[in-house]
Amino acid sequence: MEEKQTGLKSSSTKITRRKFLVSSVLMVTSATLAACGINLGGGATTESPKAANLEPTPACGSPEELTPAVTEGPYFTPNSPERSSLLEQGMKGTKLTLVGYVVSTACKPVAHALLDFWQADADGQYDNKGFTLRGHQYTDDKGKFTLETIVPGLYPGRTRHIHVKVQAPNGKVLTSQLFFPNEAGNAKDGIYNKALLMDMKSNADGSQSGAYQFVVKV
Ligand SMILES: [Fe+2]
C-alpha cells in the first residue's frame, strides 16, 4: 500500500503562500524571494487579480512558514543517483521542469542543501527495484535547484504528488511531498497540504513548468 492517509484534512485554513501570475518560473521564484527581501536581479513581478483577495503573508520569516513535513510513504529508496534530470530515453509522460530555492526562516538562501526526489511514473508506478524517477542533487550557492522530470501519474488513493527530502547542511531531514494545483484529488487526499502546492505553468510545447520554495531550519 502507498502512503496511508491520516484522514486529517489540511489544518491550514489561512493562505500562507503568495500566489503569483505564473508568467515564468523564474519570475515566480524571484517574486517569492523578493517577498523575503532577496533580489535576484529579475524583472518586475505581477500578482494575479485573484491574489489581491489573498492575505499577503510572507513566504518565509516566521516559524509557521517552515515547509511542512508529510509522510514518507513506503517507496523511498536510499542512495539514489546524483542527478538533476530524471528523464530517460523513451520515458512516457509530460515533461516537467521544477525550479526552486531552499531558504532559511531568516529568508537566506541555503547553499548545498540536499534534495532527494522520488515519484511515480506516468502510469502511477514506482520503480522499487531500480532508480527510475529517483535522484538527488544539491542547491547552488544561491540556494537554487532545477529538477527535470515528468508529471507523475495517478494511482489509487492519492492525489498527484512528488516526494522529496530536503536537508540543509548539518540540518535535519525534512520529508515532504509537493502537490499540483487544480487536481480533483487534492480535496480528497488526507496527506494533501496547500502549503505544498507548486506554482505551475503550461508551456506552448506541451511541457509543464513548476516552482516551489522550501523554507527549512538551518
Ligand atoms: Fe507516493
Side-chain angles (χ1 to χ4, degrees):
M1 289 290 291
E2 166 62 6
E3 304 85 18
K4 287 184 183 143
Q5 294 194 16
T6 61
L8 297 173
K9 295 292 179 193
S10 168
S11 60
S12 175
T13 55
K14 66 171 187 169
I15 301 299
T16 56
R17 298 180 65 237
R18 285 173 182 253
K19 290 292 177 189
F20 295 98
L21 180 66
V22 186
S23 56
S24 81
V25 171
L26 186 58
M27 184 178 286
V28 167
T29 313
S30 298
T32 310
L33 285 177
C36 297
I38 298 169
N39 184 2
L40 297 175
T45 58
T46 308
E47 289 194 59
S48 69
K50 284 183 183 173
N53 298 323
L54 302 178
E55 186 184 346
T57 50
C60 56
S62 55
E64 58 266 31
E65 297 299 340
L66 281 169
T67 299
V70 297
T71 182
E72 174 179 297
Y75 298 140
F76 174 67
T77 303
N79 303 313
S80 68
E82 181 175 351
R83 54 184 175 182
S84 59
S85 177
L86 307 183
L87 298 175
E88 293 177 27
Q89 192 87 28
M91 186 173 268
K92 205 167 93 174
T94 300
K95 189 180 169 194
L96 163 64
T97 302
L98 171 62
V99 177
Y101 289 83
V102 178
V103 302
S104 69
T105 50
C107 301
K108 296 215 166 100
V110 180
H112 208 65
L114 169 69
L115 295 130
D116 198 340
F117 293 98
W118 74 103
Q119 66 170 83
D121 67 14
D123 295 321
Q125 300 288 321
Y126 286 86
D127 176 8
N128 292 313
K129 292 180 177 165
F131 291 96
T132 303
L133 291 168
R134 300 173 185 273
H136 75 271
Q137 60 176 290
Y138 298 90
T139 54
D140 67 14
D141 57 3
K142 292 189 171 69
K144 184 180 177 185
F145 68 91
T146 301
L147 175 72
E148 287 189 302
T149 185
I150 57 156
V151 176
L154 290 169
Y155 57 87
R158 289 301 318 278
T159 193
R160 203 179 308 278
H161 63 280
I162 294 174
H163 294 266
V164 62
K165 287 178 182 281
V166 186
Q167 184 180 25
N170 304 312
K172 282 189 176 173
V173 176
L174 166 71
T175 301
S176 195
Q177 301 180 20
L178 296 179
F179 296 101
F180 293 75
N182 306 315
E183 288 284 335
N186 286 349
K188 299 178 226 157
D189 188 311
I191 298 169
Y192 168 77
N193 182 332
K194 64 186 175 186
L196 295 167
L197 274 175
M198 294 178 284
D199 291 299
M200 295 296 299
K201 174 196 165 196
S202 296
N203 302 310
D205 66 359
S207 67
Q208 299 271 314
S209 294
Y212 191 79
Q213 177 181 267
F214 294 96
V215 183
V216 299
K217 276 186 187 165
V218 293

